[in-house]
Amino acid sequence: MGDGDAPAIFDQAEVARIFREESGRSVATLIRVVGDIDLAEDAVQEAFAVALRKWPAEGLPPNPGGWITTTARNRALDRLRRESRGRELLSEVAVLSPGDQEPDMAEEVGAGAVQDDRLRLIFTCCHPALSTEAQVALTLRLLGGLSTTQVARSFLVAEPTMARRLVRAKRKIKAARIPYRVPQAHELPDRLRPVLAVVYLVYTAGLTGPADPGLCTEAIRLARILATLLPDESEVAGLLALLLLTESRRASRLAPDGSLVLLGEQDRTRWDRALIEEGQAIVRWCLRRNQPGRYQLQAAINAVHADAGTIEETDWSQIVALYDQLLAVAPTPVVALNRAIAIGEVQGPAAALALVDELELDNYHPFHATRADLLRRLGRHNEAATAYQRAAAMAPTDAERDFFRRDGRASR
């Protein structure tokens, strides 16, 4: 900024947005540079603290993300130089400038290698030495920029429980000296399942937290990178299709006043047809390969919804058949809950409620919301109102809480 330039208007919300979008990139780069997760996280936090002091007077830099990464890198290296352990670590890692690349990257995954620190870190966090749950949780925390509270919500566990799991996972990575790199080609298939789960949960976090829509964009970006890296993996394609088809409806999920709009009440003219067409084309490609997996089947279910002009025109029998397949490959209570909802559209609310009441999902707010709707349809209004109250108490967003409270009052 020149001497005659006025400082740019400082916007706290803009800094918060930059943190959400750039912290994962900066942490990933710092981990590659210094090889220490805690040091990388601390340095990025310190860089944002410096930004909050400097940017109000100096204005936002042209490349805020690059400024944060450079500042964090310098702080991390300064700390290493001051510490005896740090000096030992500096002798072990290659300190890379922003334009440098690791010399063996082209050999790791061949000519189709994707040079992306975040993708490298995802695969590192998904190392077989960690449990699947730890892999997903740690990557959400480091790459998605999610708070421990948000990660805990994704796993339906208490925040202190998730905090302890994250600490243990980071300690294990350090103790095992797990390298920060994209796996070699022969390692990729075994490491893929938790990576896909990470991308899906990052998208879900953005979808359920309207203040963080950048997470949805980031998840789709990462899914596209994975599809480029692994073009013959049907489940990678299925995940990308699922995210595109879900994203096509995101703009219609909330009314102008911020209230939640259910699928049957959404304005389908607002659905993004380009995303639907791209997603459905991928689903057709997956069907031709005939290697069904959980993400492909979820994408196919969403494709059926996208085909219908109204909720009444939806082919619910086809959706039930797809859920039957999905339950066979992914026998989870959440899949069973969604299958029961579809059965309710074919066989009626009593049949669905009988299935729902067999599930152990007391800590999952859609379970109580589903029970509430089925009870309302059966005329059991007092029970429905109680179930709506349970759903509202557990819902993660204001829009969902307000929706359930409104329906709970209407049920009385």
Side-chain angles (χ1 to χ4, degrees):
M1 185 170 66
D3 293 339
D5 294 335
I9 296 175
F10 183 70
D11 186 346
Q12 291 275 4
E14 177 69 3
V15 175
R17 181 194 64 78
I18 291 169
F19 178 79
R20 288 192 302 270
E21 294 184 0
E22 300 293 343
S23 62
R25 187 196 314 269
S26 296
V27 168
T29 299
L30 263 290
I31 290 175
R32 170 170 57 86
V33 171
V34 301
D36 186 297
I37 294 176
D38 290 326
L39 176 57
E41 286 190 285
D42 289 347
V44 171
Q45 292 284 350
E46 289 178 16
F48 273 99
V50 174
L52 287 172
R53 293 198 302 270
K54 288 192 172 185
W55 290 356
E58 300 177 1
L60 291 176
N63 180 2
W67 189 99
I68 290 294
T69 300
T70 299
T71 302
R73 176 181 178 275
N74 291 338
R75 295 213 158 217
L77 297 180
D78 286 345
R79 185 185 301 182
L80 288 176
R81 293 186 183 100
R82 290 195 303 267
E83 300 172 358
S84 58
R85 177 190 160 277
R87 288 193 292 273
E88 294 175 2
L89 182 59
L90 276 172
S91 69
E92 298 175 7
V93 300
V95 179
L96 305 177
S97 67
D100 290 336
Q101 294 181 358
E102 292 169 277
D104 60 346
M105 274 300 297
E107 299 174 1
E108 289 178 356
V109 292
V114 178
Q115 310 286 341
D116 189 287
D117 282 332
R118 282 170 291 187
L119 189 62
R120 257 196 294 273
L121 182 53
I122 285 178
F123 277 107
T124 298
C125 291
C126 296
H127 193 276
L130 302 175
S131 69
T132 298
E133 188 173 72
Q135 293 167 351
V136 176
L138 187 60
T139 310
L140 278 172
R141 178 75 181 94
L142 296 178
L143 269 296
L146 274 66
S147 67
T148 302
T149 301
Q150 290 173 306
V151 178
R153 186 182 300 146
S154 297
F155 280 89
L156 311 179
V157 300
E159 182 178 350
T161 300
M162 180 53 65
R164 289 192 294 271
R165 291 177 185 174
L166 289 168
V167 169
R168 285 197 298 268
K170 289 189 283 188
R171 285 175 179 169
K172 191 161 189 176
I173 284 179
K174 182 182 291 187
R177 301 179 69 85
I178 293 172
Y180 292 87
R181 61 174 179 84
V182 176
Q184 296 179 9
H186 71 276
E187 299 174 300
L188 287 174
D190 291 338
R191 302 276 290 278
L192 188 58
R193 181 170 56 87
V195 170
L196 297 181
V198 165
V199 177
Y200 182 65
L201 282 174
V202 169
Y203 183 86
T204 301
L207 190 67
T208 57
D212 295 321
L215 291 176
C216 294
T217 302
E218 174 65 8
I220 292 173
R221 188 192 77 85
L222 289 171
R224 290 191 186 280
I225 289 174
L226 286 170
T228 300
L229 182 65
L230 302 168
D232 293 326
E233 290 288 343
S234 299
E235 275 292 81
V236 173
L239 175 63
L240 177 57
L242 173 60
L243 298 189
L244 294 173
L245 291 165
T246 306
E247 180 71 5
S248 72
R249 302 193 300 267
R250 181 157 64 89
S252 62
R253 292 183 72 252
L254 297 177
D257 64 358
S259 59
L260 190 67
V261 182
L262 295 181
L263 178 64
E265 300 169 357
Q266 290 178 10
D267 179 359
R268 300 192 177 208
T269 64
R270 297 183 63 198
W271 289 6
D272 189 319
R273 299 310 306 182
L275 291 178
I276 289 173
E277 290 171 6
E278 183 181 2
Q280 289 183 325
I282 297 172
V283 169
R284 289 192 293 269
W285 179 85
C286 291
L287 290 174
R288 289 194 297 270
R289 292 175 65 85
N290 194 27
Q291 299 173 345
R294 64 187 303 167
Y295 295 110
Q296 296 171 74
L297 290 166
Q298 288 181 76
I301 291 166
N302 278 268
V304 174
H305 281 299
D307 272 337
T310 65
I311 194 70
E312 292 77 19
E313 296 173 2
T314 302
D315 188 344
W316 286 105
S317 295
Q318 185 179 3
I319 288 178
V320 169
L322 288 167
Y323 270 120
D324 287 342
Q325 294 184 61
L326 181 57
L327 193 61
V329 301
T332 70
V334 172
V335 172
L337 176 66
N338 287 312
R339 175 178 175 272
I341 294 170
I343 286 176
E345 298 297 326
V346 177
Q347 300 179 19
L353 184 61
L355 295 171
V356 170
D357 281 343
E358 294 176 355
L359 303 175
E360 296 183 3
L361 283 170
D362 195 57
N363 292 325
Y364 187 53
H365 81 273
F367 168 77
H368 297 287
T370 299
R371 287 194 76 252
D373 180 65
L374 294 172
L375 289 165
R376 177 190 58 79
R377 290 164 61 185
L378 290 168
R380 295 161 61 176
H381 297 296
N382 288 337
E383 293 173 87
T386 300
Y388 276 124
Q389 289 175 353
R390 291 291 306 279
M394 300 170 64
T397 67
D398 289 339
E400 289 173 288
R401 284 189 287 272
D402 291 344
F403 177 85
F404 296 138
R405 287 168 183 153
R406 184 182 69 241
D407 277 19
R409 289 192 295 268
S411 296
R412 291 193 180 279

